[in-house]
Amino acid sequence: MITLALSKGRIFDETLPLLKAAGIEVLDDPEKTRKLILATNQPDVRVVLVRATDVPTYVQYGGAAAVRQGARLTVATKYVAIAREFFAAKGVHVDLIKLYGSMELAPLTGLADAIVDLVSTGNTLKANHLVEVEHIMDISSRLVVNQAALKLKREPIRRIIDAFAGVVGQK
Ligand code: PRP
């Protein structure tokens, strides 16, 4: 199977006609399907839709994933430091792969055995036939301010912070 990793976004619109002209037709309508792995008219060619920044990673590790056997666990995540700490504390040696989006595609394509990711409703996991095996931590959002801006634009920033604090009900 040949996997073509294509960049999502505006450039994708120009990629499809190019593929078609080269004799490769994507069977699903990418506008309508939520699938991230798309079959083509060529049984041995498939397309994965990923962020542009993830394309080199899929190309670099994709081949290795096809030949990996009995090696240690490969984990894909946006949160490399947290994942590294988590597995180190358990004494488990893993290979971490940094991705910038669509984590759930990594196990589906064989790029990784597992992912460390955020979950909100759990719908994405379900939709991709993935199962939560361990809860690492609870998360919450933070307002982060540049230190220089905090000094130089103290008043307007204070107003925004106070406004947020009012909405979330704490100071
Ligand atoms: C996050 C996360 C999952 C999804 C989980 O992605 O990476 O894909 O939300 O939410 P759920 O449990 O409610 O389904 P996000 O939308 O932040 O985009 P990303 O693909 O760029 O990570």
Side-chain angles (χ1 to χ4, degrees), residues 1 3 12 14 25 27 38 72 79 83 88-91 108-109 113 121 131 134 145 159 170:
M1 176 66 72
T3 305
F12 184 66
E14 293 177 28
E25 286 188 50
L27 299 180
L38 307 174
R72 57 191 192 177
Y79 311 105
K90 292 164 79 74
L108 295 184
T109 55
D113 302 300
T121 60
V131 178
E134 216 161 324
V145 183
R159 277 200 298 278
Q170 49 185 261

Side-chain angles (χ1 to χ4, degrees), residues 51 78 100-104 117-124:
R51 291 204 174 175
K78 267 186 200 172
Y100 292 83
S102 305
M103 280 337 98
E104 54 279 358
D117 200 14
L118 306 181
V119 176
S120 175
T121 60
N123 291 339
T124 307

